[in-house]
Amino acid sequence: MSRNKPAGKKSRLGRALKSNSAIPAWIILRTNGKVKINPLRRDWRKNDLKV
């Protein structure tokens, strides 16, 4: 990918990067283990972004 990206694409890539994190441990404790995984988690090899 090129080094110079359009601002819109760069913001979408940053948003996808932030949403690809695990759920914090305190949320697992607060929900008594009902919420354990992030359903929006994405692997960079398996799924492509539509940006």
Side-chain angles (χ1 to χ4, degrees), residues 19-33:
S19 69
N20 201 30
S21 62
I23 287 181
W26 64 270
I27 290 183
I28 298 172
L29 289 170
R30 190 179 71 179
T31 57
N32 292 327

Side-chain angles (χ1 to χ4, degrees), residues 1 9-10 20 24-25 27 34 36-37 44 46 48:
M1 186 182 284
K9 185 170 188 176
K10 191 169 182 177
N20 201 30
I27 290 183
K34 289 188 175 86
K36 286 185 180 174
I37 61 161
W44 66 274
K46 294 176 187 161
D48 280 340

Side-chain angles (χ1 to χ4, degrees), residues 11-24 37-49:
S11 67
R12 288 191 294 271
L13 286 171
R15 186 179 187 135
L17 186 70
K18 281 190 261 184
S19 69
N20 201 30
S21 62
I23 287 181
I37 61 161
N38 182 2
L40 300 175
R41 201 80 197 263
R42 172 187 51 80
D43 185 40
W44 66 274
R45 277 186 190 267
K46 294 176 187 161
N47 303 81
D48 280 340
L49 288 173

